[in-house]
Amino acid sequence: QDFGNGAVPVAAARTASKETPAEDATQAANRFGTPELWRAVHVGDEAMVVALIKQGACDGRMRDASGHSVFWHAVAFGHFSLAKTVLDCFPPGEVAGVDVTEVHARRGDTLLHLICQTRNFGADAANLFKRIASAAPEAILLKANAAGHNFVVIAASQMNFWVLKFMCINLPQAMKALVVAEQAPLRYLADVIAPPTPTVIAPPAPIPAHVGLVDLLNQDASGKVAFADVAFDVGPSGDSPSESSQKGRFLAHRVVVASQSPVLLEELRNMPAQHLQKEDITVCLMRVDPRIAKDVWRSVLQFLYTGQIHCAFVHDAGLMVELFRACALYKLPKPLLDFAQVALFSLLPSSPPEVALQVFSIAAGSCGEDLDVRSVKDASTYILLRSAAQVLKRLDAGEAAKLLQAMVDTVELGVFNPVSPPSATASPPAPVPEPARRQQAQAPAQSSPCAQQRAPGAAPTGGYPKAQAGPPYGGQPHAGPPHGGPHAGTAHG
């Protein structure tokens, strides 16, 4: 009723004065929750929270005075079973569902930051992370907190291999964007792991001189090699003038090369012979992988015939990668493989990161299976962790994610199964001096088209920095990942 002067009747005023505080209290309880609710959330009283949910006194959007939800507090206090219950009752996307875009007002952390900071990261925390990450929009997945860190920085600092692999497998596009971000999160993983351990090797024993295998490579007056029954064509596969100059052909003996390489044995066993008109000889003609230069294959043959390492390119990272590739592809004798590993271990820190990428791709690929290449695999991984933002930009998301997953697998193996430090510093055995070399191949030596220049600003002899103390979010590995053990299961699903 309008009294014209704006006055309110006394009775009406008394009624309002009696009802307003109660209504305000109810509205506050509906909006902020009751003290009983927040007490139950803080102590992890799941039964009380469930009872309040049934009474309609709790939902996924309810916030306390500081602006945090029931789900946020349950995660923050480590009550993961309670957090799962809230998530089950209030799925994201529903009217009262959990808000996956919730962000800490001051620190800028998302729910993914919060879950990754969990000290006891087990199956329950993994389940929560999977559900939130799968429902979160891209802006939340890629968000950096007030310190400038995305959640991958936290996962890397805490050596949370499960989170890193889950992202690689299930959200590759987002994972690539996170890794190539300005903060370079994988550097934090490199900072908390032990530096790679070099391989210590002894020089191989030479084939006794009285065997005279090397003499079989000598050419007679007509330019033929006695008893040669295999020819190796090496060099690039193109026909341009520059590529043609890098090609070569080596004559050899199947019994010598096949006895030291199971791959060559299989290749040559049933290969038909053909007549080479230029050399006027009937042989099996085999095409060597075109990524392997003729200088490299010359060194391979020299080793197979002498048992000694003849290597004039020990300081050329590009050619040493090709030698490593040859050893892995053709399963060449272990002394030659170890020589390539030790040389690359010394060269990688001062080489462009693309060299580390090539080495890792060989070591972690199918041709590296069943080979003892852990030293150079660990070393290339260590380099790639520090330069992932640079290297991965040029790869598509799928390739980048597969590479990242293989790198994380390598680091995880190294953390839970460390290599014992060597008793002495590894260094490549000295190659045979040039004056003592014999002429063991027909093609003249050529400079490698793959010779690497030292990375700008790199030291002449690079090293591997020691693990740094004090990563931003701790550095203890999760010895019991949520998939059942240090190396059991995967982050699929």
Side-chain angles (χ1 to χ4, degrees):
Q1 181 178 0
D2 185 5
F3 290 88
N5 58 3
V8 179
V10 174
R14 288 175 179 172
T15 301
S17 66
K18 291 179 181 179
E19 293 178 355
T20 299
E23 291 175 354
D24 289 347
T26 301
Q27 292 176 0
N30 290 338
R31 181 180 177 186
F32 298 112
T34 63
E36 290 77 14
L37 170 63
W38 299 112
R39 188 179 305 113
V41 172
H42 290 172
V43 300
D45 188 343
E46 190 170 344
M48 174 62 74
V49 174
V50 170
L52 291 171
I53 290 174
K54 292 179 179 179
Q55 297 172 18
C58 174
D59 64 38
R61 296 280 174 160
M62 192 170 285
R63 306 288 181 103
D64 66 1
S66 64
H68 294 310
S69 66
V70 172
F71 182 77
W72 181 283
H73 281 295
V75 172
F77 283 98
H79 305 315
F80 301 122
S81 177
L82 172 58
K84 179 180 179 298
T85 297
V86 174
L87 198 57
D88 290 340
C89 293
F90 306 105
E94 295 191 356
V95 175
V98 169
D99 181 10
V100 297
T101 66
E102 184 174 354
V103 175
H104 193 283
R106 179 173 52 84
R107 296 199 305 268
D109 288 338
T110 67
L111 284 167
L112 298 175
H113 287 84
L114 188 65
I115 296 172
C116 285
Q117 291 181 58
T118 299
R119 294 295 179 181
N120 299 315
F121 193 97
D124 291 335
N127 181 267
L128 294 177
F129 181 92
K130 176 175 66 175
R131 294 174 67 179
I132 297 300
S134 300
E138 182 179 8
I140 290 296
L141 288 173
L142 305 185
K143 182 174 175 55
N145 62 15
H149 299 149
N150 59 44
F151 72 85
V152 174
V153 171
I154 303 173
S157 295
Q158 296 203 6
M159 289 186 275
N160 192 325
F161 304 116
W162 188 91
V163 165
L164 298 176
K165 288 193 283 188
F166 174 87
M167 292 298 298
C168 290
I169 295 169
N170 298 282
L171 297 166
Q173 195 80 34
M175 186 58 172
K176 178 189 173 183
L178 289 162
V179 168
V180 302
E182 184 178 357
Q183 53 264 56
L186 293 188
R187 290 181 62 89
Y188 293 90
L189 181 56
D191 285 342
V192 295
I193 63 175
T197 303
T199 297
V200 176
I201 62 175
I207 296 175
H210 69 268
V211 175
L213 283 182
V214 68
D215 294 330
L216 292 176
L217 291 177
N218 292 334
Q219 297 177 338
D220 60 20
S222 64
K224 294 182 179 180
V225 174
F227 307 112
D229 56 2
V230 60
F232 293 103
D233 279 351
V234 296
S237 56
D239 295 323
S240 66
S242 61
E243 290 177 316
S244 297
S245 65
Q246 298 163 16
K247 295 181 179 181
R249 173 172 289 175
F250 297 97
L251 299 178
H253 307 83
R254 284 188 294 176
V255 66
V256 176
V257 297
S259 65
Q260 301 180 71
S261 164
V263 175
L264 293 178
L265 174 63
E266 190 63 29
E267 289 274 353
L268 298 173
R269 185 192 301 275
N270 299 314
M271 184 177 290
Q274 56 183 290
H275 187 75
L276 303 181
Q277 186 173 2
K278 181 180 178 180
E279 290 83 2
D280 190 23
I281 188 173
T282 300
V283 295
C284 295
L285 182 61
M286 179 174 174
R287 184 67 171 89
V288 177
D289 188 289
R291 294 169 293 182
I292 298 171
K294 65 183 178 184
D295 284 353
V296 173
W297 197 249
R298 177 186 287 108
S299 288
V300 168
L301 292 177
Q302 288 171 342
F303 177 81
L304 298 181
Y305 277 83
T306 67
Q308 293 180 301
I309 296 173
H310 304 255
C311 184
F313 49 84
V314 69
H315 299 298
D316 186 322
L319 288 180
M320 290 310 303
V321 169
E322 294 179 22
L323 179 60
F324 180 59
R325 188 189 303 278
C327 292
L329 276 176
Y330 298 108
K331 302 296 185 286
L332 298 176
K334 192 173 186 301
L336 193 59
L337 173 67
D338 287 343
F339 172 83
Q341 283 198 83
V342 173
L344 285 170
F345 190 96
S346 300
L347 292 169
L348 282 176
S350 57
S351 299
E354 289 76 15
V355 174
L357 178 59
Q358 292 183 62
V359 172
F360 182 81
S361 298
I362 297 168
S366 58
C367 65
E369 293 178 357
D370 303 323
L371 294 179
D372 182 11
V373 292
R374 181 165 177 181
S375 173
V376 76
K377 187 178 180 182
D378 288 348
S380 57
T381 300
Y382 193 84
I383 299 295
L384 289 174
L385 289 175
R386 295 184 172 277
S387 55
Q390 173 185 347
V391 173
L392 298 181
K393 283 183 179 179
R394 294 184 287 274
L395 303 180
D396 65 45
E399 289 179 307
K402 289 180 181 178
L403 176 64
L404 286 168
Q405 185 184 350
M407 290 164 55
V408 173
D409 285 338
T410 301
V411 175
E412 184 178 20
L413 176 64
V415 168
F416 291 103
N417 296 276
V419 177
S420 300
S423 56
T425 303
S427 59
V432 176
E434 185 66 32
R437 297 174 187 270
R438 298 192 185 190
Q439 183 61 35
Q440 296 151 334
Q442 294 78 40
Q446 300 287 336
S447 60
S448 167
C450 304
Q452 299 291 334
Q453 299 296 322
R454 183 175 300 140
T461 56
Y464 297 87
K466 294 182 179 179
Q468 298 180 7
Y473 298 95
Q476 292 300 317
H478 297 284
H483 36 57
H487 302 289
T490 67
H492 284 284

